[in-house]
Amino acid sequence: MHMVDFAPGTVWLVGAGPGDPELLTRKAARLIAAADVVFYDALVGAAIVDALAPAQERVSVGKRSGRHSRDQATIDAMIVAAARAGKRVVRLKGGDPAVFGRTEEELAACRAAGIRVMICPGVTAASAAAAGAGTALTLRGAARRLTLVTAHLMPGQDKGPDWAALADPETTLAIYMGRAAAASVSRGLIAAGRSPATPVLVVVNASLPGERMIRGRLSSLAFLVETVSDSEPTMLLIGEALAAPATAPDAARASRRSDDALAV
């Protein structure tokens, strides 16, 4: 078995996956078990935090949209201070640290302090949401691209999204933390030319016991999220690959015929 390199005074940024403890990688589980202190986000599954040993220090640095328990500079300083004290530090992040995880700031803070820092990837929420729905994020001949977007970059920011690029009909959109932006997403995509009938899948609490799937079409996206609370992690999946399972195989067969015809 490969042994994880985790010397005292070092930091690992660890992907906790979407919440289900069984979706932790084996490497992530070994790093968490070896840590002296674990700084964890609000989106880290409660069962993962509850499984920490009593002797392990656990520090919540959770951030939800608009409700930050600590600012990023404070989190950076806490990580650096723990490592300088000779502790094995795990910074546990929901999903994958490299996907909308504010990882670059923490890497930079550690490196500036001369602290060795490494990354352990995790299962990102878009993958877990599609898996829970029994569907794919791409579809040969119909959905050739996958674009990951965070709702934090939706309207209201200084720089809005490039709706024309996002409206490409061959692209599957995975919009993280998308509940509050649902109406803006629907309007922006349709105005940019995306069909109002484009399939949509709203996934709430992906991989967790309370996981919910809400299917519909782009024109009804704002309505689909009305029963979802602000506190529930919500993924919006948009595109032809998200057609209902009963019709998706037909679409796949049609795309295969189209590709075969082009290859002749």
Side-chain angles (χ1 to χ4, degrees), residues 8 12 17-19 32 38 40 91 104 114 131 137 149 174 181 218:
W12 275 92
I32 293 167
V38 177
Y40 63 95
R91 173 66 169 99
E104 183 54 40
L137 290 169
V149 181
L218 183 58

Side-chain angles (χ1 to χ4, degrees), residues 132-254:
T135 190
L137 290 169
T138 57
L139 183 65
R140 185 181 176 206
R144 300 173 183 270
R145 287 174 287 279
L146 171 63
T147 299
L148 308 182
V149 181
T150 174
H152 290 168
L153 297 181
M154 290 296 151
Q157 302 292 317
D158 292 337
K159 182 181 179 182
D162 183 348
W163 291 117
L166 296 177
D168 179 353
E170 291 195 347
T171 295
T172 299
L173 294 179
I175 302 176
Y176 288 64
M177 299 164 284
R179 184 210 175 279
S184 298
V185 168
S186 178
R187 287 195 302 268
L189 291 176
I190 292 172
R194 193 109 196 209
S195 169
T198 301
V200 167
L201 177 64
V202 178
V203 183
V204 185
N205 293 315
S207 86
L208 296 172
E211 180 181 77
R212 305 203 311 276
M213 307 280 175
I214 308 169
R215 291 186 180 273
R217 45 190 281 161
L218 183 58
S219 59
S220 62
L221 182 55
F223 170 76
L224 297 178
V225 301
E226 284 187 356
T227 61
V228 180
S229 74
D230 290 336
S231 64
E232 294 180 297
T234 304
M235 170 71 63
L236 310 180
L237 299 176
I238 302 169
E240 297 305 322
L242 284 308
T247 59
D250 292 335
R253 283 194 292 272

